[in-house]
Amino acid sequence: MKTVVIKECTDISIANTYTFDLSRIEVTHCVGCWTCWWKTPGKCVFNDLNEFYHEYITADKAIYLAKVTKGFISGNLKSLLDRMIPLYLPYTTYKTGESMHVKRYEKYPDIEFYYDGQFQTDDGLEIFEKYINRVFYQFYSKNIVVKPIEDFVGIGGYKK
């Protein structure tokens, strides 16, 4: 099983995986130019994520180890999610009863999303979990798990 790791938590490592370390990489913001859809289908005008796109789309599972501040993901992770739009077609479908981009690829990885951070209220946590689930539902991931980082470490995740 091929696994890709997207991490902001510097004290956690997972052996034998492709790791995209957001604590060391500043993701360029999407400029909304639509080049990835019309001029170079599936390829962003910025070439900084080409290796990541390949690793992500060929993975069976993507594990996110995210920092949460003020009840939301970091700006850097949000930029990465925005920049994943080349993995989908510019057309929309209504097959599920709602508007979604059409898949570009046959399969997308299952998601394990672990967050490191606190929420001021239970409602804040619920909104956050629903947001993460919606993002990856829209990204065509079939199995989506959203849990606190302690659950990852508790199931054998390696903490430095």
Side-chain angles (χ1 to χ4, degrees):
M1 173 184 273
K2 182 177 177 184
T3 302
V4 67
V5 176
I6 299 93
K7 73 174 200 163
E8 294 177 302
C9 303
T10 57
D11 58 342
I12 297 177
S13 293
I14 302 172
N16 303 318
T17 60
Y18 171 83
T19 300
F20 192 75
D21 191 345
L22 287 172
S23 69
R24 297 176 185 257
I25 299 166
E26 186 69 28
V27 177
T28 305
H29 303 294
C30 177
V31 295
C33 67
W34 288 38
T35 298
C36 64
W37 281 342
W38 301 118
K39 292 183 181 176
T40 57
K43 295 180 182 175
C44 181
V45 67
F46 304 117
N47 294 318
D48 56 342
L49 297 178
N50 289 346
E51 182 182 7
F52 169 77
Y53 292 148
H54 172 75
E55 294 295 330
Y56 184 86
I57 207 62
T58 58
D60 299 303
K61 177 169 46 172
I63 299 174
Y64 287 78
L65 304 169
K67 297 264 187 197
V68 172
T69 0
K70 298 183 181 173
F72 200 66
I73 59 175
S74 71
N76 203 27
L77 178 53
K78 178 67 170 88
S79 290
L80 178 66
L81 296 177
D82 291 347
R83 292 274 312 281
M84 290 171 71
I85 201 72
L87 302 179
Y88 308 90
L89 295 171
Y91 313 108
T92 53
T93 179
Y94 298 93
K95 286 181 184 176
T96 62
E98 61 186 307
S99 175
M100 292 177 66
H101 285 286
V102 175
K103 293 193 232 184
R104 183 178 295 277
Y105 300 101
E106 193 63 34
K107 78 169 190 69
Y108 292 85
D110 291 340
I111 302 298
E112 289 184 21
F113 191 99
Y114 298 94
Y115 58 88
D116 185 14
Q118 301 297 315
F119 295 88
Q120 292 183 353
T121 65
D122 290 342
D123 287 345
L125 172 59
E126 182 181 350
I127 290 167
F128 176 79
E129 288 177 341
K130 283 183 178 180
Y131 169 77
I132 298 301
N133 274 290
R134 289 297 301 159
V135 165
F136 292 108
Y137 169 77
Q138 291 278 327
F139 283 6
Y140 291 96
S141 295
K142 297 220 184 306
N143 298 303
I144 306 163
V145 174
V146 182
K147 294 184 176 183
I149 199 79
E150 295 80 20
D151 286 4
F152 176 74
V153 174
I155 60 168
Y158 175 75
K159 202 164 186 169
K160 290 182 189 175

